Amino acid sequence: MKTVLRKGLFILFLTAMTQGLSAQVIIPGDYAREYYDLLLFKDTSLNKPIVQYPSIVTQFHSKNAPSWNIWGENFKLNGGSSVLSIVDPVLRTNYNSLIPMSYNDGAQWNGRGANLFLSAGVAGRVGILQYAFVPNIQVSQNKDFFIPDTPAGRSEYAYPFDSRIDWVQKYGEGSFTNFDLGQSEIRLIYKNATVGVSTENFRWGVTQFSPILMSYNAPGFPHIDIGTNVPLGTKIGRLEGRIFWGRLVESDYFDNETDNETGFISGMHIGYQPSFFPQLNVGLNRVLNTRWSDGDLSFKDAFALFTKTKGKGAQKNDEYDQMLSVYFDFAFREVGFRTYLEFARNDFPGSVSELFQNPDRSRAFTLGLMKTFELGNERLLSVLFESTTLSTNQLQRLSTGNPTYYVHPWSVRGFTNRGQIMGAGIGPGSNSNFVRVDLYQPEGKWSLTLTRVRFNDDYFVSAFSGQSDFPTDFERTIRLDYVGFFNKLTINPNFSYTYRNNWYYVDENEATNIMAGVNLSYRID
């Protein structure tokens, strides 16, 4: 009897603690991510991030309801302050007819065939301690498709056209199940400062499809971070900054070497919003990536972000794969217009003279434009366009050995974690155009997305120089999404059609892929 009573009291305690509370954790690839980004643009009451866009967004909550929120009770931002909150569970399922299709969905990887993904967990706060435990599990049918021969010493499922990047094309033979800690963290928050241990995904900047340095494309990696929790308000404007140190893991489908299975990554960002021009956000981002084997790391590696690193041996500045970007975001909320730019360098000049002579060496950039239109009856139309160029300037490539993004001779895994690229998911040397039109209304939204990707021009130019055939590998995708609210259940069916030509640079190798899926989430009130 006492056991039954204890169980009953425990259940009542959990019910009392969690009733009416849902933590604000956004799973990469979920429809809520796009809406939250829009809410940050439209709302005037939130202490908005400047550069870093986390998945665990509790720290950016307002004590009051947002001043703009078409979805009302279907998207709350006033939770996450209780001792124990339940995170809304998310279930996704889809089917790819021929080609694996995965962009910006974190630990999820959608192979050919059927795919299932489930995320759920708890979060809360006790004093200055904030925590989240939101793991996920995935099951993939992972059916076969043609992959060209890979470089010597690499897995048959590795990227065929460069031996210096762990970009998995297929996760082994047959179906697989994968467990991931997902959006989990333990964090101390005191006033505007924070220090945390986390595996959450985060993105730098508002770029939706192809952020260059940090995106939602790969699984999150375990890391320690320290910096501002929310931007600091000063007389000269709002300031934000954070530093992180993390551990990367090689996939099981790269090589048989044992001394390069883990990697060390460190990064920092600084964000500034001028008080005299609050429509502008400016960011400076830097990432260092190197191998992590016995004896490779020392205490100085923790501070390499703040130094001019020198290489092991004769190669100066090549001890790390280093990337730097500057970010500009102009948001004119009164007229519903935003434009943004991320400009990056993948290699550093040897001198000031070389910088002025070759300012476009190792450059990459993403340009974005967004316009919103108020249609009345609480409806809003949003039109977004993005263009990303990762391919190098070919004149610079021929004259100065311009490096390709996300690959590096020292960090042989490339800029990846568990086989997926942490930056733009289109991959090294690639270019993309992205257009998305969203119609938001109180009962949900409709979305139409058009995407064009041309893959790895850097490899193509080198491999096919002087030939009469030009089999550029490119794909075009059209996608339709619907989000509908049915009491506490949200249903998000989606359908896309992809045409890919010269797949893997095989002339006239045409392929079409149909992806059909449905995402379900249940709101915990």
Side-chain angles (χ1 to χ4, degrees), residues 180-295:
D180 185 79
L181 286 176
Q183 314 313 308
S184 300
E185 72 171 9
I186 298 176
R187 181 169 301 284
L188 295 176
I189 299 174
Y190 180 71
K191 295 184 178 180
N192 292 96
T194 182
V195 58
V197 179
S198 176
T199 61
E200 75 164 323
N201 288 89
F202 58 88
R203 183 190 72 205
W204 284 347
V206 298
T207 303
Q208 301 287 301
F209 187 61
S210 294
I212 299 173
L213 257 58
M214 298 302 301
S215 74
Y216 301 128
N217 189 69
F221 52 86
H223 62 274
I224 300 171
D225 65 71
I226 184 170
T228 57
N229 177 51
V230 293
L232 301 172
T234 71
K235 292 183 179 180
I236 62 171
R238 299 166 70 237
L239 296 171
E240 173 190 88
R242 195 173 291 193
I243 308 169
F244 73 84
W245 301 267
R247 180 177 182 268
L248 307 175
V249 178
E250 180 186 303
S251 75
D252 294 331
Y253 308 101
F254 181 48
D255 62 16
N256 296 319
E257 302 292 333
T258 59
D259 63 348
N260 65 346
E261 294 182 353
T262 57
F264 173 71
I265 184 172
S266 57
M268 63 177 293
H269 80 271
I270 300 172
Y272 173 54
Q273 183 185 72
S275 58
F276 54 87
F277 191 11
Q279 295 85 1
L280 172 65
N281 288 344
V282 181
L284 176 67
N285 313 305
R286 189 184 187 194
V287 175
L288 302 184
N289 172 32
T290 190
R291 62 188 181 187
W292 187 348
S293 301
D294 292 340

Side-chain angles (χ1 to χ4, degrees), residues 11 152 163 215 252 410 486 513:
I11 293 172
S163 62
S215 74
D252 294 331
W410 184 259
F486 301 90
N513 183 72

